[in-house]
Amino acid sequence: MKATRTILIGLVSVAAALAAGHLVAGLVSPLASPFLAVGNTAIDLTPHPVKDFAVRTFGENDKLVLLAGMAVVLAALGVVAGLVSRRSPWPGTALAGVLGLLGIAAVLARPTTTAWSVIAPLASLVVGVAAFRWLWSQAPVVAQGRRKFLLSTAAIAAGAGLAAVGGQLLAGRVDVEASRRGIKLRPEETAPEIPFDADFAREGTPTFLTPNEKFYRVDTALTVPRLRAEDWRMRVHGMVDNEMVLTYDDLLRRPLVEKTITLVCVSNEVGGPYISTSNFIGVSLPDLLRDAGVRPGADQLATRSVDGWTCGTPVESIMAPGSNAMLAIGMNGEPLPLERGFPVRMVVPGLYGYVSATKWLVDMELTTFDAFDPYWAQRGWGKKAPVKVMSRVDRPKSFERVPAGRFVVAGIAWAQHTGIDGVEVRVDGGPWQKTTLSTEVNVDTWRMWRIELDLKPGNHTVECRATDRKGYTQTNERAAPIPDGATGWHSMVFTSVG
């Protein structure tokens, strides 16, 4: 049989298998899609250096790149299945079966798997094998049968396309946006108005509050969970005196507070973009835990997302006076956007997000660090992860050409729970110079800085370092983000032209 025909058979069979699994997953659970399950498993098994490279290189598009890469690999396997089956359908059948079994194993390995979930990868396996065998039997050796074969192939390809679209529509049938639109947030305690001079946005820093659509996103979810507020439930259990099951209405009946808080991701390299600030609206997490009655010895709050991701937060950080820890249901005056954790997420200032900011939250268990290792702790990351004192140059940009003479250099700094006392810069290794700080909003937020410099024509390097209120000055010792946050001075290389 011609190689072009068997390659086409392999490609169409792979497409049919994936589409069938996606369609059935749309009926039983979107997370049961074998394609997504394999992707999530790949994320779990990817070594740290590869994950760091993906985040640095592709940013928030890292998941899209992963899915595209998986599609390319599966297409290549379809080509291989076709090439090895020119004389007999059995090699391709065996390869299709192996891929189907891998899909089943990936779905079974997910923490959200139910008895129904396995139906989706089973459908993928059956359809993939059946499509390959049937198309191979239809592929003629003689030219007269070419038209029949092409029609059969086109029919299966079209069916696969319709199934994929149908699965996507079924997965999105939960009208989460309507649920969001029906929520009115009226906090009893509102955040103070942001002062005009809280940022130097006109001189190159970010605006003090980050618009919701620009708030950074780093998580392991290949698809954004779709959970309506009306369907949301959260269990509070473990080492507590009073177990609770809370609904969204239960949260709305509690006093709502609004707090201005900066969140930062541990994946942030020195000078990285994964830091944002918002007015979060929610309920006090310390008050909630006091109502549950935290038993002596409980030092970790283990939280779980609806997609099975787990997080562990030090209880002492949550219960510390003035912690401002909350279950957030709103950002910047509106309900949480889907990508930011709707309907409910956790926010604990002063800790990196992987130990403090569970999105799509559905479960809270009081436990101990000895008894439970959450997702990233299982992979060797730090367990408590306080945010480190850091600063960043935002203006000028790297390799930017700027006018010689008087020029404003500006950036941001943060030291949550302690506050920034000062930021210094130096040019070309010269003496450190104090910058002007913006008005402080609170110690749980970033703070902007600026300085006017006289620059001679030529190439320059500007560095910055911050000092917190306890007198600790940011170290120049370089450390990678993993396991508990990057360190080092940020610098920019630029050119002054006269």
mmCIF file of all heavy atoms in Angstrom, residues 261 263 285 313-314 317-318 323-326 346-352 355-357 416-417:
data_model
loop_
_atom_site.group_PDB
_atom_site.id
_atom_site.type_symbol
_atom_site.label_atom_id
_atom_site.label_comp_id
_atom_site.label_asym_id
_atom_site.label_seq_id
_atom_site.Cartn_x
_atom_site.Cartn_y
_atom_site.Cartn_z
ATOM 1 N N ILE A 261 -3.752 44.361 48.077
ATOM 2 C CA ILE A 261 -2.728 43.341 48.314
ATOM 3 C C ILE A 261 -1.941 43.092 47.030
ATOM 4 O O ILE A 261 -2.513 43.027 45.940
ATOM 5 C CB ILE A 261 -3.365 42.023 48.806
ATOM 6 C CG1 ILE A 261 -4.028 42.226 50.172
ATOM 7 C CG2 ILE A 261 -2.326 40.897 48.873
ATOM 8 C CD1 ILE A 261 -4.891 41.059 50.610
ATOM 9 N N LEU A 263 0.373 40.357 45.076
ATOM 10 C CA LEU A 263 0.739 38.945 45.005
ATOM 11 C C LEU A 263 1.935 38.780 44.073
ATOM 12 O O LEU A 263 2.056 39.484 43.064
ATOM 13 C CB LEU A 263 -0.431 38.103 44.473
ATOM 14 C CG LEU A 263 -1.693 38.040 45.326
ATOM 15 C CD1 LEU A 263 -2.714 37.098 44.698
ATOM 16 C CD2 LEU A 263 -1.377 37.596 46.748
ATOM 17 N N LEU A 285 -10.052 35.100 56.579
ATOM 18 C CA LEU A 285 -9.716 33.691 56.779
ATOM 19 C C LEU A 285 -9.416 33.387 58.244
ATOM 20 O O LEU A 285 -9.854 32.347 58.754
ATOM 21 C CB LEU A 285 -8.552 33.304 55.875
ATOM 22 C CG LEU A 285 -8.102 31.844 55.909
ATOM 23 C CD1 LEU A 285 -9.256 30.885 55.657
ATOM 24 C CD2 LEU A 285 -6.974 31.610 54.896
ATOM 25 N N THR A 313 -0.370 25.954 53.501
ATOM 26 C CA THR A 313 -0.070 27.294 54.017
ATOM 27 C C THR A 313 0.196 27.219 55.518
ATOM 28 O O THR A 313 -0.563 26.576 56.253
ATOM 29 C CB THR A 313 -1.261 28.240 53.762
ATOM 30 O OG1 THR A 313 -1.652 28.159 52.394
ATOM 31 C CG2 THR A 313 -0.895 29.673 54.112
ATOM 32 N N PRO A 314 1.262 27.877 55.996
ATOM 33 C CA PRO A 314 1.512 27.873 57.446
ATOM 34 C C PRO A 314 0.357 28.532 58.201
ATOM 35 O O PRO A 314 -0.039 29.660 57.897
ATOM 36 C CB PRO A 314 2.797 28.694 57.581
ATOM 37 C CG PRO A 314 3.436 28.658 56.231
ATOM 38 C CD PRO A 314 2.308 28.598 55.255
ATOM 39 N N SER A 317 1.127 31.952 59.741
ATOM 40 C CA SER A 317 1.082 33.105 58.844
ATOM 41 C C SER A 317 -0.343 33.613 58.683
ATOM 42 O O SER A 317 -0.582 34.823 58.608
ATOM 43 C CB SER A 317 1.664 32.739 57.475
ATOM 44 O OG SER A 317 3.029 32.395 57.570
ATOM 45 N N ILE A 318 -1.293 32.690 58.618
ATOM 46 C CA ILE A 318 -2.697 33.084 58.463
ATOM 47 C C ILE A 318 -3.207 33.771 59.723
ATOM 48 O O ILE A 318 -3.894 34.799 59.654
ATOM 49 C CB ILE A 318 -3.560 31.846 58.149
ATOM 50 C CG1 ILE A 318 -3.144 31.240 56.812
ATOM 51 C CG2 ILE A 318 -5.044 32.202 58.154
ATOM 52 C CD1 ILE A 318 -3.795 29.899 56.526
ATOM 53 N N SER A 323 -2.651 39.798 59.495
ATOM 54 C CA SER A 323 -2.221 39.002 58.339
ATOM 55 C C SER A 323 -2.961 39.384 57.061
ATOM 56 O O SER A 323 -2.445 39.218 55.957
ATOM 57 C CB SER A 323 -2.423 37.512 58.617
ATOM 58 O OG SER A 323 -3.791 37.141 58.508
ATOM 59 N N ASN A 324 -4.205 39.853 57.196
ATOM 60 C CA ASN A 324 -5.045 40.196 56.040
ATOM 61 C C ASN A 324 -5.338 38.996 55.144
ATOM 62 O O ASN A 324 -5.754 39.171 53.988
ATOM 63 C CB ASN A 324 -4.433 41.330 55.209
ATOM 64 C CG ASN A 324 -4.533 42.669 55.913
ATOM 65 O OD1 ASN A 324 -5.455 42.904 56.690
ATOM 66 N ND2 ASN A 324 -3.570 43.544 55.662
ATOM 67 N N ALA A 325 -5.131 37.779 55.645
ATOM 68 C CA ALA A 325 -5.452 36.587 54.857
ATOM 69 C C ALA A 325 -6.960 36.511 54.649
ATOM 70 O O ALA A 325 -7.744 36.804 55.554
ATOM 71 C CB ALA A 325 -4.956 35.335 55.582
ATOM 72 N N MET A 326 -7.366 36.104 53.465
ATOM 73 C CA MET A 326 -8.800 36.072 53.172
ATOM 74 C C MET A 326 -9.147 34.995 52.164
ATOM 75 O O MET A 326 -8.293 34.487 51.435
ATOM 76 C CB MET A 326 -9.270 37.428 52.625
ATOM 77 C CG MET A 326 -8.676 37.803 51.269
ATOM 78 S SD MET A 326 -9.563 39.161 50.448
ATOM 79 C CE MET A 326 -9.267 40.504 51.582
ATOM 80 N N MET A 346 -7.956 31.754 47.575
ATOM 81 C CA MET A 346 -7.326 32.150 48.829
ATOM 82 C C MET A 346 -6.259 33.206 48.546
ATOM 83 O O MET A 346 -5.598 33.167 47.500
ATOM 84 C CB MET A 346 -6.702 30.944 49.520
ATOM 85 C CG MET A 346 -6.345 31.189 50.980
ATOM 86 S SD MET A 346 -6.047 29.655 51.897
ATOM 87 C CE MET A 346 -4.451 29.183 51.253
ATOM 88 N N VAL A 347 -6.097 34.147 49.462
ATOM 89 C CA VAL A 347 -5.076 35.188 49.358
ATOM 90 C C VAL A 347 -4.450 35.361 50.737
ATOM 91 O O VAL A 347 -5.143 35.712 51.695
ATOM 92 C CB VAL A 347 -5.672 36.529 48.877
ATOM 93 C CG1 VAL A 347 -4.620 37.623 48.941
ATOM 94 C CG2 VAL A 347 -6.233 36.405 47.468
ATOM 95 N N VAL A 348 -3.143 35.105 50.831
ATOM 96 C CA VAL A 348 -2.405 35.303 52.082
ATOM 97 C C VAL A 348 -1.191 36.173 51.759
ATOM 98 O O VAL A 348 -0.220 35.691 51.181
ATOM 99 C CB VAL A 348 -1.953 33.976 52.717
ATOM 100 C CG1 VAL A 348 -1.252 34.239 54.052
ATOM 101 C CG2 VAL A 348 -3.135 33.041 52.919
ATOM 102 N N PRO A 349 -1.229 37.458 52.088
ATOM 103 C CA PRO A 349 -0.106 38.342 51.772
ATOM 104 C C PRO A 349 1.188 37.876 52.433
ATOM 105 O O PRO A 349 1.182 37.280 53.512
ATOM 106 C CB PRO A 349 -0.547 39.694 52.343
ATOM 107 C CG PRO A 349 -2.028 39.607 52.478
ATOM 108 C CD PRO A 349 -2.320 38.169 52.775
ATOM 109 N N GLY A 350 2.301 38.150 51.749
ATOM 110 C CA GLY A 350 3.608 37.873 52.334
ATOM 111 C C GLY A 350 4.162 36.509 52.025
ATOM 112 O O GLY A 350 5.307 36.213 52.381
ATOM 113 N N LEU A 351 3.383 35.650 51.353
ATOM 114 C CA LEU A 351 3.849 34.323 50.967
ATOM 115 C C LEU A 351 3.735 34.182 49.458
ATOM 116 O O LEU A 351 2.808 34.707 48.845
ATOM 117 C CB LEU A 351 3.009 33.227 51.641
ATOM 118 C CG LEU A 351 2.960 33.219 53.166
ATOM 119 C CD1 LEU A 351 2.010 32.129 53.653
ATOM 120 C CD2 LEU A 351 4.350 33.007 53.761
ATOM 121 N N TYR A 352 4.684 33.473 48.851
ATOM 122 C CA TYR A 352 4.582 33.219 47.421
ATOM 123 C C TYR A 352 3.302 32.447 47.114
ATOM 124 O O TYR A 352 2.806 31.663 47.939
ATOM 125 C CB TYR A 352 5.804 32.447 46.925
ATOM 126 C CG TYR A 352 7.059 33.286 46.857
ATOM 127 C CD1 TYR A 352 8.151 33.008 47.672
ATOM 128 C CD2 TYR A 352 7.152 34.357 45.973
ATOM 129 C CE1 TYR A 352 9.316 33.778 47.605
ATOM 130 C CE2 TYR A 352 8.300 35.135 45.905
ATOM 131 C CZ TYR A 352 9.377 34.839 46.722
ATOM 132 O OH TYR A 352 10.510 35.608 46.665
ATOM 133 N N VAL A 355 2.129 28.667 47.920
ATOM 134 C CA VAL A 355 1.761 28.223 49.267
ATOM 135 C C VAL A 355 0.635 29.064 49.855
ATOM 136 O O VAL A 355 0.330 28.920 51.043
ATOM 137 C CB VAL A 355 2.970 28.237 50.240
ATOM 138 C CG1 VAL A 355 4.075 27.324 49.757
ATOM 139 C CG2 VAL A 355 3.489 29.659 50.444
ATOM 140 N N SER A 356 0.008 29.926 49.044
ATOM 141 C CA SER A 356 -0.925 30.862 49.667
ATOM 142 C C SER A 356 -2.126 31.270 48.829
ATOM 143 O O SER A 356 -3.014 31.945 49.340
ATOM 144 C CB SER A 356 -0.167 32.157 50.019
ATOM 145 O OG SER A 356 0.232 32.836 48.839
ATOM 146 N N ALA A 357 -2.167 30.910 47.557
ATOM 147 C CA ALA A 357 -3.147 31.546 46.669
ATOM 148 C C ALA A 357 -3.942 30.529 45.858
ATOM 149 O O ALA A 357 -4.119 30.691 44.649
ATOM 150 C CB ALA A 357 -2.440 32.533 45.743
ATOM 151 N N GLN A 416 6.729 42.495 51.700
ATOM 152 C CA GLN A 416 5.411 42.373 52.314
ATOM 153 C C GLN A 416 5.492 42.097 53.813
ATOM 154 O O GLN A 416 6.357 41.369 54.276
ATOM 155 C CB GLN A 416 4.612 41.278 51.615
ATOM 156 C CG GLN A 416 4.115 41.705 50.236
ATOM 157 C CD GLN A 416 3.316 40.607 49.576
ATOM 158 O OE1 GLN A 416 3.750 39.472 49.490
ATOM 159 N NE2 GLN A 416 2.122 40.936 49.112
ATOM 160 N N HIS A 417 4.535 42.698 54.516
ATOM 161 C CA HIS A 417 4.397 42.626 55.974
ATOM 162 C C HIS A 417 5.422 43.468 56.712
ATOM 163 O O HIS A 417 5.273 43.710 57.906
ATOM 164 C CB HIS A 417 4.486 41.182 56.479
ATOM 165 C CG HIS A 417 3.195 40.431 56.394
ATOM 166 N ND1 HIS A 417 1.989 41.037 56.156
ATOM 167 C CD2 HIS A 417 2.921 39.106 56.518
ATOM 168 C CE1 HIS A 417 1.039 40.126 56.136
ATOM 169 N NE2 HIS A 417 1.573 38.960 56.354
#
